[in-house]
Amino acid sequence: PKVRVNAVTVGLVVTEQAHLFYGDEAGIRAVGETVPLGRMAEPGDVGDVCLFLASPLARYVSGANIVVHGGGELPRYMDAAT
C-alpha cells in the first residue's frame, strides 16, 4: 500500500523540564536506575527510532508499535514487596 501506519510508544525521557517532575540530577538518576537499561531515554533515542521508521530500512514495517522504554518500568508493587 502507499500508506503505512506505525506508532512509537515512549517511556521515561529526560528533557529540559525533567527536573520539574523528577527533581535534581540525583532524582533523575535514581528514576533511571529503575529502568532495565539503567537510564531514562534521551530525546535522541526516540528520534533515532522515528528516523528508522522514516527510512528505507523500515520499508516492510507497517502496522507496528515500537516501544522505546529501555525495557520498561518496574511495577509500583515492586517497591512495596518485601
Side-chain angles (χ1 to χ4, degrees), residues 42-72:
E42 298 173 2
D45 296 320
V46 179
D48 287 347
V49 173
C50 295
L51 287 173
F52 161 71
L53 287 173
S55 79
L57 294 172
R59 66 187 167 273
Y60 202 65
V61 178
S62 186
N65 177 35
I66 299 180
V67 182
V68 183
H69 64 8

Side-chain angles (χ1 to χ4, degrees), residues 5-29:
V5 177
N6 295 298
V8 177
T9 300
V10 180
L12 303 173
V13 180
V14 177
T15 66
E16 64 276 354
Q17 294 188 346
H19 67 282
L20 297 175
F21 191 75
Y22 304 111
D24 60 9
E25 289 297 320
I28 292 171
R29 188 172 34 261

